[in-house]
Amino acid sequence: MRRFILSRILQAILVMLAVSVIVFFLGRLSGDPTDILLPHDASEESHERLRDHLGLDEPLHVQYWIFLTDTLQGDFGESVKSQRPVMELVKEKWPATLELTGAAIFISLLIALPVGVYSAVRRGGFFDFLARLLAVFGQSIPSFWLGIMLIYIFAVPQFGWAIFPTHGRGEDGLWDHIHHLILPAFTMGWYLSAGIMRLTRSSMLEVLDSDYVKLARIKGVPEYKVIWKHGFKNAALPVLTYSVMIFALVLGGTVITEMVFAWPGMGRMVVDAVYARDFPVVQTTVLLLSAVFVFANLLVDILYSYLNPKIRIAR
Amino acid sequence: MFRIGINKLALIRKFPVNPGIPLLIVLLCIVMAIFAPYIAPESPTKQSLPNQFQEPGYVDKDGTKHYLGTDKFGRDNLSRIIYGARISLVVAVLTIIIAAFIGTLLGLVAGYYGGWVDSLLMRITDVGLALPLILVALVLAVVYGAELIADLIPINVVLVIGLLLWPRFARQIRGETLAIKEQDYIALARVAGCSPMRIMIKHIFPNVIPTLLVLCTLNVGYVILLEASLSFLGVGVPPETPTWGLMVSDGKGVIATYWWISLFPGLAIMFLVLSLNFFGDWVRDKLDPKLRQV
Amino acid sequence: MSALLDVQNLKTYYFARRGVVKAVDGVSFSIDQGETLGLVGESGCGKTMTCHSILKLLPKPGGRIVEGQVLFEGEDLVLKTERQMRRIRGAKISMILQDSMTSLNPAYTIENQVGEVFAIHQKLKGRALKEKVIEALKLVKIPAAETRLRAFPHQMSGGMRQRVAGAIALGAKPSLIIADEPTTALDVTIQAQYLNLLKEIQAETGVAMMFVTHDLGVVARMCDKVAVMYAGRIVEKAEMKDLFRHPRHPYTIGLLACLPKMDAELDKLVSIPGQPPDLGALPDGCHFAPRCPECMEICKQKYPEERLARDEHYVSCWLVEK
């Protein structure tokens, strides 16, 4: 058990090291970073000075080492555009993105779990048919378009029911906050719920076919308890795993939704940064999102081995 | 045996996927893409200031009817959608080819050799999976600019998506290879003195083809969504290019008054991806019983 | 005295898109209080579907009882609602499944799973519930039962797990237990132990048993009566000793010939040629006709009715004179 966790941690560190190499080179992609960092008409002199300042005269591996040690010490550099430490910017934007992602996952679980479970229970029936149709639609509608259409339907006075705000995060207390959150969260959640639903359905199908569910029925256990106590608890593990991974994965996917709804989060910040060639900000964001993903994976693996007694013993 | 018999029969009651209509829509898109110059009523880039923001069905002074209206430069939406199919499909096909090729190669090698080769390659796929795909694509596309080869292939978008997508293929192919490796006929081939190369190509690869096909069809839709998302963000293609994502983006700011600009290209994406997904489900049901239900 | 369980002309079909599978096609038998009936047949002959029909737990969608009666303590279970059936399942009729590895829920402790029966049917809670669980575990002779309460199924050996399955089935003191090949998943040495245990418990509690198996050796050891099933129908039923001594149906004769005997030459293992028919496309006439060594013209045309061959010995075969 301990060996398993240790080896997984080691793997995660290796992956993160590789990611850091890639991120480092992301900043060197266009050859001379000073071309990016300085205005077009800057003198050769100021190029030279900046190169010196950034340590670009050093060999690449030394530069990488400096980058790595700085990063590990929490020094992510300064934004080229605003001259502020990147970490400060991230700390400012991070909560908004986290909030949006969390709400999206919450909405998708709210839709996907019951629908997935009952779709499996009524396998082959009309409800199942509808649910699966919905799932295919969920995975086929581009979220940026869905967002715009939701704005058109619910947020502009076209139909006389502009009941939701079109952009921003809302400043007037909790209700205003939630009010602003609903459309973007639904836009993201719609896509996510399709995957979660399909997974819930398929793992429920497997579990419902099992002998222990049969035995529960033989014992005279009421049907809702058969489904939720005996069935769902065993089917939930892969769904839980998937949701945690999705959470990490989707953090990167908020970009689109944040652009559509002008949500003041990391996604918008990084798109602006990419266009402004503000590489320290971009690098930090990519690094952070990868780290969250790797960490989430690690967490899931460890959680999995704790939650599933069978694996715990086997290890 | 009867117990198995029942399960088999139960599986027959699966989703009544009829591949006919989805396939028809996909074929329609392909035809649209190939014969765009003959089908489209106008050039997709022809601007006309008096025709700005006209509603669907508008007939301009020259007597041309704009079935899906016009955009802010007076360009014909229908023509742009027809031409837009080109970029979407070209990107989808090329990307899938790149990802499938790299993924299959590395998946086969990792699965066959196992040991440290496997560990190394799987860690590399971990890295590929860990990177936030859209962001990296965004960065690369911005750095390398929007280059369009032969007015058709946004080469940077293709390379970026292809390079970021292969881990999905590698994972699955590796798993499959691991299972096939244990089969008796592989042991037999080894005893017969086949080289690892030959075993991989002649004996294992043909057996992963169904999985590969399923992966390809299931990922095409995803790639098209991804391409549309990138071009929605204005990345990888010159701004005047007719792509569906860009068109939706064009209409975003004026959605309250000129709804048709965003609506129709979005519907085009949806119907194509929907058809591909239905078709993918059908292919999976036909070819790979193991992946069924998922 | 009327029988505890009296199944009459039971027909359970499975309706699939490709057609109707006649899994149970007119089966009748009865079990008295405290008696053991062996239901014998090859896998796929409809044995398991018969068991599930009695509990009305049929594969959904598609499985349905289309005809017949299942009289339990004089009441027809076929007419009962799902809610009424739930009160019978686990309390009055229970079942031991083949493989406890898969039939016990991996996510819950032994205490939870055994206790569920009492929680549902006797509405017990807390200490009383725990005592009942220990009592049930002791009934199936699980050593140091108190210490096993918090164990998960995978932490126990196959034999112990199957005893837990027994505790679940027997805990609420049902009057009928259906045991569906309860020993096939066990090691041979453990099998005998388990069968003895079931017999002891039966002597102790007077529970009736329906023993489903393909193993005639087990039948000889456990049962008072035997019913031989082939392709959805019962072809022969009799007292156990009578059936072993005077088998009448060629299928039964074939099955008995398959049993290795001590005195026979070892290299002469007999088997019945051919395969059992597809239950979705049964032949006209006797289902066994294609494999029968004594097949006659009439066998291919008409299914033989059940006849009384001698006292309490019924056979469905044209060879048996009326």
Side-chain angles (χ1 to χ4, degrees):
Chain A
M1 180 68 184
R2 184 172 290 166
R3 264 193 65 186
F4 165 72
I5 292 179
L6 272 178
S7 82
R8 285 298 290 114
I9 291 177
L10 199 72
Q11 280 175 12
I13 292 175
L14 276 176
V15 169
M16 274 322 291
L17 272 179
V19 168
S20 75
V21 173
I22 291 174
V23 167
F24 170 74
F25 279 104
L26 220 52
R28 301 283 184 281
L29 268 180
S30 50
D32 188 352
T34 59
D35 288 346
I36 297 171
L37 300 179
L38 290 172
H40 286 299
D41 51 356
S43 65
E44 184 52 35
E45 219 170 293
S46 45
H47 273 280
E48 200 60 51
R49 222 178 311 128
L50 187 63
R51 256 181 230 132
D52 196 46
H53 177 72
L54 293 174
L56 293 178
D57 311 327
E58 308 276 355
L60 267 182
H61 66 269
V62 177
Q63 288 184 39
Y64 170 69
W65 182 248
I66 294 171
F67 167 77
L68 186 67
T69 45
D70 279 357
T71 306
L72 285 178
Q73 284 162 19
D75 177 6
F76 294 90
E78 275 181 3
S79 158
V80 177
K81 209 169 98 190
S82 66
Q83 308 289 319
R84 289 169 60 199
V86 175
M87 217 43 214
E88 221 177 278
L89 294 173
V90 169
K91 270 185 197 147
E92 233 173 76
K93 305 288 186 187
W94 184 251
T97 296
L98 212 61
E99 179 183 294
L100 176 58
T101 314
I105 298 263
F106 178 73
I107 287 183
S108 58
L109 286 176
L110 211 63
I111 300 172
L113 290 186
V115 174
V117 165
Y118 279 97
S119 164
V121 170
R122 310 216 187 295
R123 145 171 47 177
F126 184 64
F127 182 82
D128 187 26
F129 174 82
L130 272 188
R132 297 174 75 182
L133 202 65
L134 207 70
V136 185
F137 265 89
Q139 287 179 327
S140 306
I141 296 180
S143 58
F144 54 90
W145 182 72
L146 178 65
I148 293 173
M149 289 302 125
L150 287 177
I151 288 178
Y152 181 60
I153 297 169
F154 292 110
V156 298
Q158 188 71 30
F159 296 121
W161 43 342
I163 43 178
F164 288 108
T166 54
H167 65 275
R169 199 176 161 208
E171 260 92 51
D172 287 346
L174 183 69
W175 173 238
D176 190 38
H177 222 70
I178 295 174
H179 197 200
H180 277 79
L181 195 57
I182 289 176
L183 282 191
F186 183 81
T187 304
M188 270 176 79
W190 170 260
Y191 179 79
L192 298 181
S193 59
I196 299 179
M197 203 213 91
R198 283 186 152 206
L199 189 70
T200 309
R201 179 177 181 278
S202 67
S203 57
M204 262 317 265
L205 276 183
E206 203 174 292
V207 168
L208 287 176
D209 264 349
S210 72
D211 277 357
Y212 53 81
V213 162
K214 196 195 277 175
L215 185 67
R217 293 207 172 105
I218 288 170
K219 279 197 245 177
V221 177
E223 193 59 20
Y224 74 91
K225 245 183 155 179
V226 171
I227 292 167
W228 293 100
K229 181 184 170 185
H230 289 271
F232 186 68
K233 188 168 179 195
N234 283 289
L237 209 51
V239 177
L240 179 79
T241 317
Y242 183 73
S243 303
V244 174
M245 307 248 285
I246 278 273
F247 181 79
L249 208 62
V250 154
L251 276 176
T254 54
V255 172
I256 304 278
T257 314
E258 290 188 11
M259 289 307 282
V260 172
F261 289 94
W263 188 260
M266 301 241 300
R268 270 194 61 193
M269 175 183 79
V270 77
V271 172
D272 290 345
V274 168
Y275 281 118
R277 303 210 159 196
D278 193 347
F279 272 87
V281 174
V282 178
Q283 282 177 314
T284 308
T285 318
V286 173
L287 205 58
L288 275 181
L289 290 178
S290 310
V292 169
F293 181 77
V294 170
F295 182 72
N297 259 296
L298 185 66
L299 201 71
V300 160
D301 272 359
I302 294 173
L303 214 66
Y304 214 104
S305 60
Y306 267 109
L307 283 183
N308 192 342
K310 233 186 310 187
I311 294 180
R312 192 160 71 213
I313 296 304
R315 284 258 153 65
Chain B
M1 279 201 286
F2 191 51
R3 195 168 296 134
I4 293 173
I6 282 195
N7 289 340
K8 263 191 202 145
L9 287 164
L11 279 176
I12 294 167
R13 304 170 158 267
K14 60 179 190 244
F15 203 29
V17 187
N18 182 345
I21 295 171
L23 199 60
L24 205 70
I25 293 179
V26 174
L27 287 177
L28 192 77
C29 284
I30 294 174
V31 168
M32 252 166 54
I34 295 174
F35 299 104
Y38 306 100
I39 299 174
E42 279 199 336
S43 156
T45 48
K46 187 185 139 199
Q47 302 192 0
S48 151
L49 286 183
N51 290 348
Q52 273 178 314
F53 293 130
Q54 295 298 345
E55 278 192 355
Y58 165 79
V59 183
D60 66 16
K61 283 204 298 284
D62 308 334
T64 315
K65 192 168 184 189
H66 298 281
Y67 289 94
L68 302 182
T70 62
D71 67 3
K72 67 179 165 190
F73 295 114
R75 296 174 297 200
D76 181 43
N77 276 332
L78 178 62
S79 307
R80 286 178 72 73
I81 286 179
I82 291 172
Y83 271 90
R86 290 189 148 187
I87 304 254
S88 282
L89 289 173
V90 163
V91 169
V93 169
L94 291 180
T95 310
I96 291 287
I97 289 175
I98 293 175
F101 180 76
I102 303 178
T104 308
L105 195 73
L106 296 188
L108 278 177
V109 170
Y112 182 78
Y113 285 104
W116 68 269
V117 179
D118 184 30
S119 305
L120 180 73
L121 289 174
M122 281 306 106
R123 289 298 82 72
I124 294 178
T125 61
D126 278 349
V127 175
L129 290 170
L131 289 170
L133 210 136
I134 288 195
L135 275 191
V136 177
L138 197 69
V139 175
L140 295 178
V142 165
V143 169
Y144 287 115
E147 199 183 331
L148 213 53
I149 292 180
D151 270 348
L152 196 62
I153 309 170
I155 186 68
N156 293 329
V157 174
V158 168
L159 286 179
V160 165
I161 301 183
L163 286 177
L164 292 173
L165 202 70
W166 67 264
R168 288 174 168 230
F169 286 76
R171 274 280 168 89
Q172 201 89 37
I173 298 291
R174 168 187 171 264
E176 200 87 338
T177 309
L178 278 179
I180 295 170
K181 196 173 71 169
E182 301 302 324
Q183 302 293 317
D184 286 343
Y185 57 85
I186 300 299
L188 220 66
R190 258 194 221 139
V191 172
C194 290
S195 69
M197 191 70 179
R198 194 181 156 78
I199 291 177
M200 272 188 271
I201 295 172
K202 292 231 24 161
H203 297 278
I204 298 181
F205 179 65
N207 289 297
V208 301
I209 287 179
T211 308
L212 191 61
L213 284 178
V214 171
L215 279 174
C216 287
T217 44
L218 287 181
N219 275 298
V220 175
Y222 179 70
V223 170
I224 288 180
L225 280 186
L226 208 58
E227 183 274 330
S229 304
L230 284 178
S231 66
F232 172 79
L233 292 174
V235 163
V237 284
E240 71 278 7
T241 323
T243 75
W244 293 345
L246 213 51
M247 291 176 73
V248 174
S249 169
D250 283 343
K252 185 197 151 209
V254 291
I255 181 70
T257 34
Y258 312 119
W259 48 269
W260 55 90
I261 302 178
S262 281
L263 176 71
F264 295 117
L267 283 179
I269 301 172
M270 189 181 90
F271 277 116
L272 179 57
V273 176
L274 204 58
S275 309
L276 285 167
N277 282 343
F278 270 119
F279 186 63
D281 279 359
W282 179 78
V283 171
R284 181 189 53 200
D285 281 357
K286 284 281 149 199
L287 290 183
D288 197 350
K290 265 172 297 160
L291 291 171
R292 188 169 298 162
Q293 311 284 7
V294 182
Chain C
M1 190 186 88
S2 74
L4 175 70
L5 178 78
D6 191 3
V7 176
Q8 285 174 7
N9 193 30
L10 178 71
K11 293 188 180 179
T12 306
Y13 293 172
Y14 184 78
F15 296 88
R17 286 219 174 155
R18 288 211 179 139
V20 181
V21 177
K22 296 180 176 177
V24 180
D25 197 16
V27 160
S28 308
F29 59 85
S30 70
I31 303 176
D32 288 338
Q33 221 104 38
E35 193 181 46
T36 304
L37 170 84
L39 188 61
V40 185
E42 290 164 285
S43 41
C45 69
K47 289 176 299 186
T48 302
M49 199 72 141
T50 309
C51 303
H52 289 175
S53 304
I54 294 169
L55 284 166
K56 291 221 297 183
L57 287 171
L58 298 168
K60 272 192 287 187
R64 207 162 70 222
I65 296 176
V66 291
E67 215 184 304
Q69 286 181 312
V70 178
L71 297 169
F72 177 74
E73 292 179 340
E75 290 176 65
D76 190 358
L77 298 186
V78 176
L79 303 176
K80 298 244 177 208
T81 63
E82 178 62 22
R83 181 183 280 267
Q84 291 168 322
M85 277 312 292
R86 227 180 281 136
R87 246 176 260 141
I88 291 170
R89 288 180 205 139
K92 294 190 164 167
I93 307 178
S94 201
M95 194 164 165
I96 302 175
L97 296 173
Q98 209 173 85
D99 186 359
S100 57
M101 184 73 201
T102 54
S103 67
L104 294 180
N105 194 325
Y108 294 99
T109 59
I110 301 303
E111 181 180 6
N112 188 319
Q113 298 191 54
V114 178
E116 211 173 11
V117 180
F118 306 112
I120 294 166
H121 296 295
Q122 301 174 4
K123 306 270 180 271
L124 292 180
K125 274 193 204 111
R127 178 158 220 103
L129 179 66
K130 192 167 187 167
E131 270 162 21
K132 273 284 191 183
V133 172
I134 294 173
E135 192 186 305
L137 292 179
K138 282 188 171 153
L139 178 70
V140 292
K141 305 213 164 44
I142 287 179
E146 292 86 348
T147 63
R148 297 303 195 126
L149 293 176
R150 316 234 42 159
F152 284 94
H154 59 269
Q155 291 168 318
M156 307 180 102
S157 70
M160 280 302 137
R161 267 201 308 267
Q162 197 64 329
R163 286 183 188 213
V164 173
I168 291 173
L170 290 153
K173 305 252 156 42
S175 41
L176 174 67
I177 291 272
I178 301 170
D180 187 359
E181 313 221 6
T183 56
T184 21
L186 297 177
D187 289 341
V188 185
T189 47
I190 313 279
Q191 279 185 11
Q193 249 180 44
Y194 197 74
L195 292 176
N196 284 338
L197 177 76
L198 286 180
K199 267 191 131 171
E200 277 171 43
I201 294 172
Q202 190 175 27
E204 219 171 289
T205 61
V207 63
M209 260 204 274
M210 180 170 150
F211 213 94
V212 180
T213 181
H214 60 268
D215 185 346
L216 280 171
V218 172
V219 170
R221 204 177 166 136
M222 299 292 292
C223 303
D224 307 311
K225 290 195 301 197
V226 189
V228 180
M229 203 166 169
Y230 186 81
R233 299 208 191 189
I234 286 179
V235 294
E236 184 164 11
K237 62 189 173 203
E239 297 286 319
M240 189 268 285
K241 283 184 182 139
D242 191 29
L243 185 103
F244 273 75
R245 280 185 202 136
H246 310 285
R248 296 297 299 272
H249 197 282
Y251 178 62
T252 316
I253 296 169
L255 280 182
L256 284 169
C258 290
L259 277 182
K261 292 189 187 71
M262 284 309 215
D263 50 351
E265 292 158 64
L266 274 175
D267 52 14
K268 262 198 176 172
L269 271 176
V270 197
S271 71
I272 305 171
Q275 291 289 316
D278 179 357
L279 291 175
L282 287 169
D284 293 336
C286 176
H287 299 164
F288 188 61
R291 296 169 80 186
C292 185
E294 293 173 69
C295 179
M296 303 178 293
E297 206 42 50
I298 187 161
C299 300
K300 292 175 189 162
Q301 282 152 15
K302 200 161 175 255
Y303 194 89
E305 281 164 45
E306 196 170 76
R307 298 133 206 261
L308 190 61
R310 51 197 282 168
D311 290 349
E312 296 296 304
H313 191 141
Y314 296 88
V315 188
S316 291
C317 181
W318 290 111
L319 287 171
V320 178
E321 296 296 325
K322 267 209 166 156

